[in-house]
Amino acid sequence: MWGAACWTVLAMAGAASAGTLEDVKSNGVLKCGVTTGNAGFSAPDEKGDWEGFDVDFCRAVAAVVLGDPTKVQFTPLSAKDRFPALQSGEIDILSRQTTWVLSREASLGFLFGVVTYYDGQGFLINSKKMPDVTSATQLGGATICLLAGTTTELNIADYFKANKLEYSPLVFEKIEEAKSAYDGGRCDVYSDDQSNLYSARLSLSAPTDHVVLPEIISKEPLGPVVRQGDDRWFNIVKWTHFAIVQAEEFGITQANVEEMKNSPNPEVKRLLGMEADAKLGTDLGLTEDWVVRVVKAVGNYGEVFDRNIGSGSPLKIARGLNALWTDHGLQYAMPVR
């Protein structure tokens, strides 16, 4: 007997076989799934224009495929709705702080391929209301605000069971609901990926009253997600990330990318499509200047990071694990060769 899961995988494979690259070109727009609003990662500005770290990744892909980073249709999705939207073909790519775990590839039929942001789950508390709490091991009996449909729920259950602590979960579908409940005192703790906690703190009524506890209780490798069954599209998404990481390593920036096309360094020339008889872009189904286009559109990885969530943003998140491998981080581009 064919189960529902088998039919789901077959349906996804059929949808992907049409060719996402061809669909995006035909539509003239990239359909990108993002959060319903999370400062620094994906949120509309005062004019209603989407901005953030995950938003810029979709703009990068649009620049690569369509030659224009503005040709993106952003669809705000809750954690619960994000996977059905990708499975159904409502979106071409999910760029929504989504954790790469085995089950999402093995049973849901998705592919990750790259980690754009290495994160881990943590805890946010009001230090004025809980002045003696300095560690998550002191949270026994606490009420914890969580998001439904995320790895957060499972991680919390594992952590509290391992530490023989009791807790009461208060689960919400949307980020805004969870933050509002926490800010209003309906729960003692807000738990999420640490990056989300720093983002959430900015919107609280008294941000300086709240602290992120030191414990990181999980690995949360976050990255863009696509459907299985369309290798060319998967390769384009994957190599878009590698391209901006490699650009940072080579010192190629939004401001100097045209000048760097004249570099005598053969690796730089190859990356920028200036190598004689170049065909790496063609092999991807793109033009040879695809990396030039993406760096012109959003900058290198470091520029994207700093502008949205790093030193040039209100979040001021340190690079940490997201530094280049040459700076003792984990961001490492596969060779463009």
Side-chain angles (χ1 to χ4, degrees):
M1 293 291 290
W2 284 82
C6 294
W7 287 115
T8 298
V9 171
L10 279 179
M12 289 187 294
S17 65
T20 309
L21 175 62
E22 290 74 17
D23 288 345
V24 171
K25 287 182 175 180
S26 175
N27 294 331
V29 65
L30 173 71
K31 294 180 289 184
C32 174
V34 292
T35 68
T36 52
N38 197 24
F41 287 89
S42 52
D45 64 14
E46 63 277 359
K47 296 180 181 179
D49 296 325
W50 284 87
E51 61 181 8
F53 183 82
D54 290 335
V55 166
D56 273 353
F57 187 81
C58 283
R59 295 200 187 282
V61 175
V64 166
V65 174
L66 300 171
D68 187 343
T70 68
K71 291 184 176 180
V72 186
Q73 175 185 310
F74 293 103
T75 300
L77 298 166
S78 69
K80 178 182 176 182
D81 295 334
R82 57 184 164 169
F83 296 137
L86 183 59
Q87 287 173 325
S88 68
E90 178 185 348
I91 56 175
D92 303 310
I93 181 174
L94 180 66
S95 185
R96 192 200 174 284
Q97 290 175 286
T98 300
T99 304
W100 185 351
V101 297
L102 186 152
S103 60
R104 290 171 178 173
E105 291 195 324
S107 64
L108 296 182
F110 296 143
L111 288 172
F112 285 77
V114 294
V115 178
T116 54
Y117 188 92
Y118 289 93
D119 208 346
Q121 186 173 331
F123 302 90
L124 183 69
I125 66 166
N126 187 324
S127 60
K128 294 292 180 67
K129 294 181 179 179
M130 306 173 74
D132 297 326
V133 174
T134 58
S135 168
T137 58
Q138 298 171 273
L139 296 178
T143 299
I144 303 179
C145 281
L146 305 167
L147 287 175
T150 66
T151 55
T152 305
E153 292 182 272
L154 302 176
N155 294 335
I156 286 286
D158 287 346
Y159 180 82
F160 277 77
K161 182 177 181 180
N163 285 279
K164 299 180 180 179
L165 299 172
E166 298 293 327
Y167 74 102
S168 298
L170 196 57
V171 182
F172 299 90
E173 183 174 330
K174 295 181 179 180
I175 294 173
E176 297 88 344
E177 295 172 342
K179 289 190 294 188
S180 177
Y182 169 72
D183 201 23
R186 292 179 59 191
C187 49
D188 307 302
V189 183
Y190 180 35
S191 185
D192 204 337
D193 296 348
Q194 278 206 339
S195 59
N196 285 347
L197 299 182
Y198 286 110
S199 176
R201 187 167 60 178
L202 293 177
S203 64
L204 300 178
S205 54
T208 57
D209 290 351
H210 302 266
V211 298
V212 177
L213 296 178
E215 286 87 357
I216 295 177
I217 67 168
S218 70
K219 292 184 290 186
E220 303 296 328
L222 310 178
V225 195
V226 298
R227 294 178 292 273
Q228 288 182 13
D230 190 340
D231 292 349
R232 172 166 282 188
W233 183 244
F234 175 59
N235 283 337
I236 288 171
V237 170
K238 178 172 60 177
W239 284 98
T240 296
H241 174 68
F242 291 148
I244 60 173
V245 170
Q246 190 61 65
E248 182 183 10
E249 184 178 339
F250 284 160
I252 303 169
T253 68
Q254 203 168 22
N256 73 10
V257 62
E258 281 294 334
E259 177 186 346
M260 292 294 282
K261 287 164 66 174
N262 300 315
S263 170
N265 184 327
E267 290 186 285
V268 172
K269 293 178 75 71
R270 185 179 304 120
L271 180 68
L272 299 182
M274 302 303 295
E275 187 178 50
D277 302 318
K279 65 182 188 69
L280 294 176
T282 305
D283 289 343
L284 280 173
L286 307 169
T287 58
E288 294 307 321
D289 66 342
W290 66 282
V291 177
V292 175
R293 293 204 307 274
V294 69
V295 176
K296 278 186 176 180
V298 301
N300 63 40
Y301 179 83
E303 290 178 296
V304 173
F305 189 102
D306 290 343
R307 177 173 64 245
N308 291 296
I309 57 179
S311 59
S313 77
L315 271 68
K316 308 293 183 188
I317 297 176
R319 286 288 291 268
L321 293 177
N322 293 291
L324 295 180
W325 67 285
T326 50
D327 293 326
H328 311 291
L330 297 179
Q331 289 297 343
Y332 183 108
M334 302 303 108
V336 176
R337 180 175 293 280

